[in-house]
Amino acid sequence: MPRPLYPVTLINRHKLSNNTIQLDFQVEGEFDFTAGQFVQFMIDQDGKTQKRSYSIANSPESFHKEGHLEIAVSLVEGGMASNLFSQADLGLQLQMAGPFGILTAPAELSGQIVLTGTGTGLSPYRAMLPTLTSMAERGIPVTVIMGVRHRTDLIYEQAFRQAAEQHSNFSYQVCMSRETEVDSSINEFRGYVQQRFEHLNLDTDSDLVYLCGNPNMIDDAAKVLLDMGFGSRQVKREKYVYSGH
């Protein structure tokens, strides 16, 4: 049975980084979702309907309070959706389907949880923040690892750093592949996200690792975890395919 379509209206847009924008949509109808899920927008082009998928970046609690969905969009040069969303006037109306996806927080966990993302792959973890901080308060170690090329590519950094400052079991780490200088005192590292796994004292029997973002990162990180002894049930993944956006 197909999911229902919800009319949405673009009510705000602002810049998150050099190549990322946030879109806020007002949603009509009884829409609900679980943190970590994504939606699809129906975009008409040349008489055909194109679908574009984006993770929801705000929590269900925020959605019910503020009344709008927040979506982070990584802009791709020449991309059909990128061109639309970067130039459209506020008031743009679209149809939205969803929610979809299983990249959601576990109901129970005996070990630690590591959430790894590149680019807008951090969006679902931002939506999970109330759940993640609650887990940290219950004594479950939570580690969020963000991977970017440059420091100027970071998004939602303040929210995660604030969570790390306020909760002793919450760690936020940043890996930058093309920065020559990093500050290890605030958990900045040179290189790639998968290079952090060996430093996390991971337990292949009880820990859970999430991977979200660039497909190449996910494939490389999954191989590292497999070589470490992780099974497929302990690695949850969601690939973002950027071409054509």
Side-chain angles (χ1 to χ4, degrees), residues 158-184:
Q158 184 176 357
F160 288 100
R161 289 209 179 276
Q162 184 177 38
E165 291 170 359
Q166 295 176 348
H167 303 277
S168 59
N169 285 317
F170 194 111
S171 172
Y172 172 67
Q173 304 183 16
V174 174
C175 294
M176 294 178 282
S177 60
R178 298 190 182 178
E179 287 287 347
T180 56
E181 296 184 6
V182 295
D183 187 350
S184 60

PDB file of all heavy atoms in Angstrom, residues 158-184:
ATOM      1  N   GLN A 158      27.261  23.216  16.557  1.00  0.00           N
ATOM      2  CA  GLN A 158      26.983  23.771  17.879  1.00  0.00           C
ATOM      3  C   GLN A 158      26.072  22.859  18.692  1.00  0.00           C
ATOM      4  O   GLN A 158      26.279  22.661  19.895  1.00  0.00           O
ATOM      5  CB  GLN A 158      26.347  25.156  17.754  1.00  0.00           C
ATOM      6  CG  GLN A 158      26.109  25.836  19.095  1.00  0.00           C
ATOM      7  CD  GLN A 158      25.559  27.247  18.942  1.00  0.00           C
ATOM      8  OE1 GLN A 158      25.409  27.754  17.837  1.00  0.00           O
ATOM      9  NE2 GLN A 158      25.258  27.879  20.054  1.00  0.00           N
ATOM     10  N   ALA A 159      25.070  22.282  18.041  1.00  0.00           N
ATOM     11  CA  ALA A 159      24.136  21.413  18.755  1.00  0.00           C
ATOM     12  C   ALA A 159      24.842  20.194  19.325  1.00  0.00           C
ATOM     13  O   ALA A 159      24.584  19.779  20.470  1.00  0.00           O
ATOM     14  CB  ALA A 159      23.011  20.982  17.822  1.00  0.00           C
ATOM     15  N   PHE A 160      25.749  19.613  18.551  1.00  0.00           N
ATOM     16  CA  PHE A 160      26.447  18.419  19.024  1.00  0.00           C
ATOM     17  C   PHE A 160      27.510  18.758  20.068  1.00  0.00           C
ATOM     18  O   PHE A 160      27.698  18.011  21.033  1.00  0.00           O
ATOM     19  CB  PHE A 160      27.070  17.679  17.837  1.00  0.00           C
ATOM     20  CG  PHE A 160      26.047  16.992  16.977  1.00  0.00           C
ATOM     21  CD1 PHE A 160      25.616  17.560  15.798  1.00  0.00           C
ATOM     22  CD2 PHE A 160      25.505  15.777  17.365  1.00  0.00           C
ATOM     23  CE1 PHE A 160      24.664  16.936  15.016  1.00  0.00           C
ATOM     24  CE2 PHE A 160      24.553  15.135  16.585  1.00  0.00           C
ATOM     25  CZ  PHE A 160      24.130  15.721  15.407  1.00  0.00           C
ATOM     26  N   ARG A 161      28.198  19.872  19.887  1.00  0.00           N
ATOM     27  CA  ARG A 161      29.187  20.259  20.898  1.00  0.00           C
ATOM     28  C   ARG A 161      28.498  20.587  22.220  1.00  0.00           C
ATOM     29  O   ARG A 161      29.014  20.275  23.294  1.00  0.00           O
ATOM     30  CB  ARG A 161      30.004  21.447  20.404  1.00  0.00           C
ATOM     31  CG  ARG A 161      30.971  21.087  19.284  1.00  0.00           C
ATOM     32  CD  ARG A 161      32.201  21.955  19.265  1.00  0.00           C
ATOM     33  NE  ARG A 161      33.109  21.574  18.194  1.00  0.00           N
ATOM     34  CZ  ARG A 161      34.000  20.601  18.269  1.00  0.00           C
ATOM     35  NH1 ARG A 161      34.090  19.895  19.389  1.00  0.00           N
ATOM     36  NH2 ARG A 161      34.793  20.309  17.259  1.00  0.00           N
ATOM     37  N   GLN A 162      27.353  21.209  22.155  1.00  0.00           N
ATOM     38  CA  GLN A 162      26.608  21.514  23.373  1.00  0.00           C
ATOM     39  C   GLN A 162      26.183  20.231  24.084  1.00  0.00           C
ATOM     40  O   GLN A 162      26.289  20.122  25.311  1.00  0.00           O
ATOM     41  CB  GLN A 162      25.387  22.356  23.045  1.00  0.00           C
ATOM     42  CG  GLN A 162      24.600  22.815  24.267  1.00  0.00           C
ATOM     43  CD  GLN A 162      23.445  23.709  23.900  1.00  0.00           C
ATOM     44  OE1 GLN A 162      22.767  23.501  22.884  1.00  0.00           O
ATOM     45  NE2 GLN A 162      23.205  24.730  24.703  1.00  0.00           N
ATOM     46  N   ALA A 163      25.733  19.246  23.318  1.00  0.00           N
ATOM     47  CA  ALA A 163      25.355  17.971  23.911  1.00  0.00           C
ATOM     48  C   ALA A 163      26.549  17.303  24.590  1.00  0.00           C
ATOM     49  O   ALA A 163      26.429  16.736  25.683  1.00  0.00           O
ATOM     50  CB  ALA A 163      24.767  17.047  22.847  1.00  0.00           C
ATOM     51  N   ALA A 164      27.719  17.390  23.945  1.00  0.00           N
ATOM     52  CA  ALA A 164      28.920  16.788  24.516  1.00  0.00           C
ATOM     53  C   ALA A 164      29.358  17.513  25.788  1.00  0.00           C
ATOM     54  O   ALA A 164      29.853  16.885  26.735  1.00  0.00           O
ATOM     55  CB  ALA A 164      30.045  16.795  23.482  1.00  0.00           C
ATOM     56  N   GLU A 165      29.172  18.834  25.813  1.00  0.00           N
ATOM     57  CA  GLU A 165      29.546  19.606  27.006  1.00  0.00           C
ATOM     58  C   GLU A 165      28.623  19.311  28.187  1.00  0.00           C
ATOM     59  O   GLU A 165      29.051  19.337  29.339  1.00  0.00           O
ATOM     60  CB  GLU A 165      29.508  21.102  26.677  1.00  0.00           C
ATOM     61  CG  GLU A 165      30.605  21.550  25.718  1.00  0.00           C
ATOM     62  CD  GLU A 165      30.388  22.974  25.241  1.00  0.00           C
ATOM     63  OE1 GLU A 165      29.376  23.592  25.654  1.00  0.00           O
ATOM     64  OE2 GLU A 165      31.212  23.468  24.447  1.00  0.00           O
ATOM     65  N   GLN A 166      27.382  19.014  27.900  1.00  0.00           N
ATOM     66  CA  GLN A 166      26.387  18.847  28.954  1.00  0.00           C
ATOM     67  C   GLN A 166      26.236  17.414  29.445  1.00  0.00           C
ATOM     68  O   GLN A 166      25.635  17.187  30.501  1.00  0.00           O
ATOM     69  CB  GLN A 166      25.021  19.360  28.462  1.00  0.00           C
ATOM     70  CG  GLN A 166      25.003  20.859  28.196  1.00  0.00           C
ATOM     71  CD  GLN A 166      23.680  21.327  27.634  1.00  0.00           C
ATOM     72  OE1 GLN A 166      22.829  20.523  27.230  1.00  0.00           O
ATOM     73  NE2 GLN A 166      23.485  22.641  27.595  1.00  0.00           N
ATOM     74  N   HIS A 167      26.794  16.443  28.694  1.00  0.00           N
ATOM     75  CA  HIS A 167      26.611  15.036  29.064  1.00  0.00           C
ATOM     76  C   HIS A 167      27.958  14.315  29.004  1.00  0.00           C
ATOM     77  O   HIS A 167      28.581  14.238  27.949  1.00  0.00           O
ATOM     78  CB  HIS A 167      25.615  14.366  28.122  1.00  0.00           C
ATOM     79  CG  HIS A 167      24.275  15.053  28.089  1.00  0.00           C
ATOM     80  ND1 HIS A 167      23.298  14.823  29.028  1.00  0.00           N
ATOM     81  CD2 HIS A 167      23.764  15.976  27.233  1.00  0.00           C
ATOM     82  CE1 HIS A 167      22.237  15.561  28.749  1.00  0.00           C
ATOM     83  NE2 HIS A 167      22.495  16.275  27.671  1.00  0.00           N
ATOM     84  N   SER A 168      28.368  13.779  30.116  1.00  0.00           N
ATOM     85  CA  SER A 168      29.697  13.170  30.200  1.00  0.00           C
ATOM     86  C   SER A 168      29.826  11.920  29.334  1.00  0.00           C
ATOM     87  O   SER A 168      30.933  11.552  28.936  1.00  0.00           O
ATOM     88  CB  SER A 168      30.006  12.817  31.658  1.00  0.00           C
ATOM     89  OG  SER A 168      29.037  11.926  32.184  1.00  0.00           O
ATOM     90  N   ASN A 169      28.729  11.242  29.030  1.00  0.00           N
ATOM     91  CA  ASN A 169      28.777  10.037  28.202  1.00  0.00           C
ATOM     92  C   ASN A 169      28.567  10.316  26.720  1.00  0.00           C
ATOM     93  O   ASN A 169      28.375   9.392  25.939  1.00  0.00           O
ATOM     94  CB  ASN A 169      27.723   9.028  28.678  1.00  0.00           C
ATOM     95  CG  ASN A 169      28.138   8.334  29.956  1.00  0.00           C
ATOM     96  OD1 ASN A 169      29.284   7.937  30.105  1.00  0.00           O
ATOM     97  ND2 ASN A 169      27.215   8.187  30.887  1.00  0.00           N
ATOM     98  N   PHE A 170      28.595  11.602  26.346  1.00  0.00           N
ATOM     99  CA  PHE A 170      28.356  11.990  24.955  1.00  0.00           C
ATOM    100  C   PHE A 170      29.639  12.592  24.386  1.00  0.00           C
ATOM    101  O   PHE A 170      30.178  13.556  24.937  1.00  0.00           O
ATOM    102  CB  PHE A 170      27.227  13.018  24.884  1.00  0.00           C
ATOM    103  CG  PHE A 170      26.676  13.243  23.500  1.00  0.00           C
ATOM    104  CD1 PHE A 170      25.402  12.827  23.174  1.00  0.00           C
ATOM    105  CD2 PHE A 170      27.425  13.907  22.526  1.00  0.00           C
ATOM    106  CE1 PHE A 170      24.871  13.050  21.901  1.00  0.00           C
ATOM    107  CE2 PHE A 170      26.919  14.126  21.261  1.00  0.00           C
ATOM    108  CZ  PHE A 170      25.635  13.702  20.950  1.00  0.00           C
ATOM    109  N   SER A 171      30.128  12.023  23.279  1.00  0.00           N
ATOM    110  CA  SER A 171      31.347  12.517  22.637  1.00  0.00           C
ATOM    111  C   SER A 171      31.036  12.939  21.200  1.00  0.00           C
ATOM    112  O   SER A 171      30.327  12.233  20.479  1.00  0.00           O
ATOM    113  CB  SER A 171      32.424  11.432  22.627  1.00  0.00           C
ATOM    114  OG  SER A 171      33.546  11.821  21.850  1.00  0.00           O
ATOM    115  N   TYR A 172      31.571  14.093  20.821  1.00  0.00           N
ATOM    116  CA  TYR A 172      31.433  14.570  19.448  1.00  0.00           C
ATOM    117  C   TYR A 172      32.827  14.748  18.860  1.00  0.00           C
ATOM    118  O   TYR A 172      33.667  15.466  19.422  1.00  0.00           O
ATOM    119  CB  TYR A 172      30.663  15.894  19.410  1.00  0.00           C
ATOM    120  CG  TYR A 172      30.641  16.563  18.051  1.00  0.00           C
ATOM    121  CD1 TYR A 172      29.972  15.985  16.977  1.00  0.00           C
ATOM    122  CD2 TYR A 172      31.289  17.781  17.842  1.00  0.00           C
ATOM    123  CE1 TYR A 172      29.948  16.607  15.736  1.00  0.00           C
ATOM    124  CE2 TYR A 172      31.259  18.410  16.608  1.00  0.00           C
ATOM    125  CZ  TYR A 172      30.591  17.818  15.560  1.00  0.00           C
ATOM    126  OH  TYR A 172      30.567  18.414  14.328  1.00  0.00           O
ATOM    127  N   GLN A 173      33.092  14.089  17.733  1.00  0.00           N
ATOM    128  CA  GLN A 173      34.401  14.133  17.104  1.00  0.00           C
ATOM    129  C   GLN A 173      34.261  14.567  15.644  1.00  0.00           C
ATOM    130  O   GLN A 173      33.268  14.248  14.985  1.00  0.00           O
ATOM    131  CB  GLN A 173      35.073  12.758  17.180  1.00  0.00           C
ATOM    132  CG  GLN A 173      35.193  12.223  18.603  1.00  0.00           C
ATOM    133  CD  GLN A 173      35.917  10.891  18.665  1.00  0.00           C
ATOM    134  OE1 GLN A 173      36.594  10.483  17.710  1.00  0.00           O
ATOM    135  NE2 GLN A 173      35.795  10.212  19.797  1.00  0.00           N
ATOM    136  N   VAL A 174      35.265  15.276  15.160  1.00  0.00           N
ATOM    137  CA  VAL A 174      35.262  15.768  13.784  1.00  0.00           C
ATOM    138  C   VAL A 174      36.517  15.289  13.072  1.00  0.00           C
ATOM    139  O   VAL A 174      37.631  15.444  13.582  1.00  0.00           O
ATOM    140  CB  VAL A 174      35.213  17.313  13.747  1.00  0.00           C
ATOM    141  CG1 VAL A 174      35.349  17.812  12.313  1.00  0.00           C
ATOM    142  CG2 VAL A 174      33.916  17.826  14.361  1.00  0.00           C
ATOM    143  N   CYS A 175      36.329  14.690  11.895  1.00  0.00           N
ATOM    144  CA  CYS A 175      37.457  14.286  11.052  1.00  0.00           C
ATOM    145  C   CYS A 175      37.455  15.146   9.795  1.00  0.00           C
ATOM    146  O   CYS A 175      36.439  15.237   9.098  1.00  0.00           O
ATOM    147  CB  CYS A 175      37.328  12.811  10.667  1.00  0.00           C
ATOM    148  SG  CYS A 175      37.464  11.679  12.051  1.00  0.00           S
ATOM    149  N   MET A 176      38.597  15.776   9.517  1.00  0.00           N
ATOM    150  CA  MET A 176      38.714  16.658   8.357  1.00  0.00           C
ATOM    151  C   MET A 176      39.836  16.156   7.465  1.00  0.00           C
ATOM    152  O   MET A 176      40.992  16.079   7.885  1.00  0.00           O
ATOM    153  CB  MET A 176      38.960  18.098   8.825  1.00  0.00           C
ATOM    154  CG  MET A 176      37.767  18.664   9.586  1.00  0.00           C
ATOM    155  SD  MET A 176      38.009  20.344  10.230  1.00  0.00           S
ATOM    156  CE  MET A 176      39.010  19.982  11.674  1.00  0.00           C
ATOM    157  N   SER A 177      39.479  15.810   6.242  1.00  0.00           N
ATOM    158  CA  SER A 177      40.446  15.157   5.364  1.00  0.00           C
ATOM    159  C   SER A 177      41.388  16.126   4.664  1.00  0.00           C
ATOM    160  O   SER A 177      42.459  15.715   4.206  1.00  0.00           O
ATOM    161  CB  SER A 177      39.710  14.323   4.310  1.00  0.00           C
ATOM    162  OG  SER A 177      38.868  15.142   3.511  1.00  0.00           O
ATOM    163  N   ARG A 178      41.030  17.429   4.598  1.00  0.00           N
ATOM    164  CA  ARG A 178      41.859  18.355   3.833  1.00  0.00           C
ATOM    165  C   ARG A 178      42.281  19.587   4.626  1.00  0.00           C
ATOM    166  O   ARG A 178      42.717  20.574   4.032  1.00  0.00           O
ATOM    167  CB  ARG A 178      41.126  18.776   2.551  1.00  0.00           C
ATOM    168  CG  ARG A 178      40.861  17.593   1.629  1.00  0.00           C
ATOM    169  CD  ARG A 178      40.356  17.993   0.278  1.00  0.00           C
ATOM    170  NE  ARG A 178      40.073  16.835  -0.555  1.00  0.00           N
ATOM    171  CZ  ARG A 178      39.586  16.882  -1.782  1.00  0.00           C
ATOM    172  NH1 ARG A 178      39.323  18.069  -2.337  1.00  0.00           N
ATOM    173  NH2 ARG A 178      39.353  15.784  -2.470  1.00  0.00           N
ATOM    174  N   GLU A 179      42.143  19.536   5.944  1.00  0.00           N
ATOM    175  CA  GLU A 179      42.637  20.619   6.796  1.00  0.00           C
ATOM    176  C   GLU A 179      44.054  20.283   7.255  1.00  0.00           C
ATOM    177  O   GLU A 179      44.334  19.158   7.651  1.00  0.00           O
ATOM    178  CB  GLU A 179      41.733  20.809   8.012  1.00  0.00           C
ATOM    179  CG  GLU A 179      40.399  21.463   7.696  1.00  0.00           C
ATOM    180  CD  GLU A 179      40.523  22.944   7.380  1.00  0.00           C
ATOM    181  OE1 GLU A 179      41.588  23.526   7.634  1.00  0.00           O
ATOM    182  OE2 GLU A 179      39.536  23.518   6.877  1.00  0.00           O
ATOM    183  N   THR A 180      44.928  21.262   7.208  1.00  0.00           N
ATOM    184  CA  THR A 180      46.308  21.022   7.633  1.00  0.00           C
ATOM    185  C   THR A 180      46.474  21.192   9.135  1.00  0.00           C
ATOM    186  O   THR A 180      47.394  20.631   9.730  1.00  0.00           O
ATOM    187  CB  THR A 180      47.268  21.977   6.905  1.00  0.00           C
ATOM    188  OG1 THR A 180      46.856  23.330   7.141  1.00  0.00           O
ATOM    189  CG2 THR A 180      47.243  21.702   5.407  1.00  0.00           C
ATOM    190  N   GLU A 181      45.577  21.968   9.763  1.00  0.00           N
ATOM    191  CA  GLU A 181      45.671  22.186  11.205  1.00  0.00           C
ATOM    192  C   GLU A 181      44.355  21.804  11.869  1.00  0.00           C
ATOM    193  O   GLU A 181      43.279  22.215  11.431  1.00  0.00           O
ATOM    194  CB  GLU A 181      45.990  23.656  11.505  1.00  0.00           C
ATOM    195  CG  GLU A 181      47.354  24.108  10.993  1.00  0.00           C
ATOM    196  CD  GLU A 181      47.674  25.535  11.390  1.00  0.00           C
ATOM    197  OE1 GLU A 181      46.880  26.128  12.166  1.00  0.00           O
ATOM    198  OE2 GLU A 181      48.704  26.055  10.940  1.00  0.00           O
ATOM    199  N   VAL A 182      44.460  21.003  12.936  1.00  0.00           N
ATOM    200  CA  VAL A 182      43.281  20.601  13.704  1.00  0.00           C
ATOM    201  C   VAL A 182      43.577  20.809  15.183  1.00  0.00           C
ATOM    202  O   VAL A 182      44.738  20.910  15.597  1.00  0.00           O
ATOM    203  CB  VAL A 182      42.905  19.133  13.439  1.00  0.00           C
ATOM    204  CG1 VAL A 182      42.480  18.931  11.992  1.00  0.00           C
ATOM    205  CG2 VAL A 182      44.057  18.195  13.796  1.00  0.00           C
ATOM    206  N   ASP A 183      42.531  20.864  15.985  1.00  0.00           N
ATOM    207  CA  ASP A 183      42.653  21.097  17.419  1.00  0.00           C
ATOM    208  C   ASP A 183      42.201  19.835  18.156  1.00  0.00           C
ATOM    209  O   ASP A 183      41.002  19.616  18.342  1.00  0.00           O
ATOM    210  CB  ASP A 183      41.807  22.298  17.822  1.00  0.00           C
ATOM    211  CG  ASP A 183      42.014  22.696  19.281  1.00  0.00           C
ATOM    212  OD1 ASP A 183      42.662  21.929  20.029  1.00  0.00           O
ATOM    213  OD2 ASP A 183      41.511  23.771  19.679  1.00  0.00           O
ATOM    214  N   SER A 184      43.149  19.020  18.563  1.00  0.00           N
ATOM    215  CA  SER A 184      42.806  17.761  19.226  1.00  0.00           C
ATOM    216  C   SER A 184      42.139  17.982  20.576  1.00  0.00           C
ATOM    217  O   SER A 184      41.438  17.091  21.082  1.00  0.00           O
ATOM    218  CB  SER A 184      44.062  16.899  19.397  1.00  0.00           C
ATOM    219  OG  SER A 184      45.035  17.571  20.189  1.00  0.00           O
TER     220      SER A 184
END
